[in-house]
Amino acid sequence: MTDFLSTHWLDIVTTILGLIYLVLEYRASIALWVVGIVMPAMDIYLYWSHGLYGDAGMAVYYTLAAIYGYAVWKFGAKWKAMIKRKGSDKKEGASAVSSSSEDLPITFFPRRLILRTLVFFFLAWAATYYVLVAYTNSTVPLLDAFTNALSFVGLWALARKYVEQWLFWIAVDVVCCYLYVVKGIPFKAGLYGLYVVIAVMGYWKWKGLAKKAQV
C-alpha cells in the first residue's frame, strides 16, 4: 500500500483537485480559477515524468490561462462598462457604473469566430505535433498535440463563458482518458472519464442559462 501511494500520490492529489474544479466549473463559480492555478502547476511534473511532454507544456499554459480567466470573470463586465462610459454622456456613464459589478454573462459562441477559431486550432495542432516529433521522444505525438491544441481553444472559450466550451472539453477529455490509460496514470484516466459525463451535463446547464439570459 505504501509503495502504491508513493508511486501514485501526485496522481491522486491532482485527481482530487480535478474533481473540485469540475464542481466549481459546473456551477460557473469564479473559484474554479484558483484551483485552476494550483492543479496544473502540480501536473507539470506528473505529465513530464510519464512522457506526456505536450500535456506538461500545456499545464504551464493552464496556469497562466487561469490567471487570465480569473481576471476576465472578475473584471470583464467592469471593463466593458468603463469602455461604454467613455463614449457616453454622464447619465449613461452612471448607468454603466451601476452595472459594473455584474459578472461576465454566459453566451453562445459567435458565428463570426468559427472560421478563425478552426484556423487557429489546426495551426496549433500542426505546430505542437512538429515540436513533439522533432524535440521529444513522445510515443503519442498526434493525440498529445490534438489535446493541447483543442485545450487552447477550450480555455479561451471558457474564459469568455461561451456555452460551446463544453463541447471542446468533451473531445479533449475522451482523448485524454485514453492517453492516461496507455501511459499508466489510472486515477487521472478515471477523472477524465468522469469529465466527459460532467461536461455533457454542464453543456446542457449552461445552454439553459444562456437561453434564459436572452429572454
Side-chain angles (χ1 to χ4, degrees):
M1 184 64 177
T2 302
D3 291 338
F4 179 83
L5 291 177
S6 64
T7 301
H8 296 286
W9 72 270
L10 190 56
D11 185 12
I12 295 172
V13 171
T14 54
T15 297
I16 293 174
L17 289 176
L19 291 172
I20 296 174
Y21 181 93
L22 251 181
V23 174
L24 294 174
E25 183 181 12
Y26 181 74
R27 295 179 177 178
S29 170
I30 194 172
L32 73 89
W33 296 112
V34 178
V35 179
I37 294 172
V38 177
M39 181 175 64
M42 301 176 71
D43 279 336
I44 295 173
Y45 176 76
L46 176 65
Y47 294 144
W48 188 274
S49 64
H50 285 81
L52 291 168
Y53 307 112
D55 280 359
M58 198 66 197
V60 176
Y61 169 73
Y62 281 167
T63 304
L64 299 177
I67 297 174
Y68 165 74
Y70 178 85
V72 171
W73 280 37
K74 184 69 175 179
F75 306 110
K78 181 181 292 186
W79 291 337
K80 286 187 177 181
M82 289 175 65
I83 292 174
K84 289 181 180 179
R85 185 181 181 186
K86 289 181 180 179
S88 63
D89 56 27
K90 293 182 179 180
K91 182 176 180 180
E92 292 173 333
S95 177
V97 171
S98 66
S99 63
S100 64
S101 60
E102 297 177 1
D103 290 333
L104 190 70
I106 295 174
T107 57
F108 291 100
F109 196 91
R111 291 186 177 181
R112 59 185 172 79
L113 296 179
I114 293 177
L115 180 58
R116 68 184 71 176
T117 300
L118 284 173
V119 171
F120 172 82
F121 164 67
F122 283 111
L123 288 176
W125 188 4
T128 306
Y129 175 77
Y130 171 77
V131 171
L132 292 177
V133 171
Y135 300 103
T136 75
N137 61 348
S138 175
T139 58
V140 286
L142 187 65
L143 293 181
D144 201 3
F146 172 83
T147 58
N148 274 253
L150 194 55
S151 291
F152 276 116
V153 177
L155 271 174
W156 167 76
L158 171 59
R160 301 309 307 168
K161 276 192 173 180
Y162 293 139
V163 174
E164 291 77 5
Q165 62 96 7
W166 289 105
L167 300 180
F168 300 141
W169 291 120
I170 289 173
V172 170
D173 296 341
V174 168
V175 176
C176 281
C177 183
Y178 167 75
L179 286 176
Y180 298 153
V181 169
V182 171
K183 287 295 185 175
I185 313 177
F187 292 99
K188 210 71 168 181
L191 174 64
Y192 274 73
L194 179 60
Y195 275 2
V196 176
V197 177
I198 300 300
V200 172
M201 296 170 61
Y203 171 74
W204 288 108
K205 177 180 174 64
W206 278 38
K207 186 175 183 179
L209 291 174
K211 286 184 174 180
K212 184 179 298 184
Q214 291 178 337
V215 178

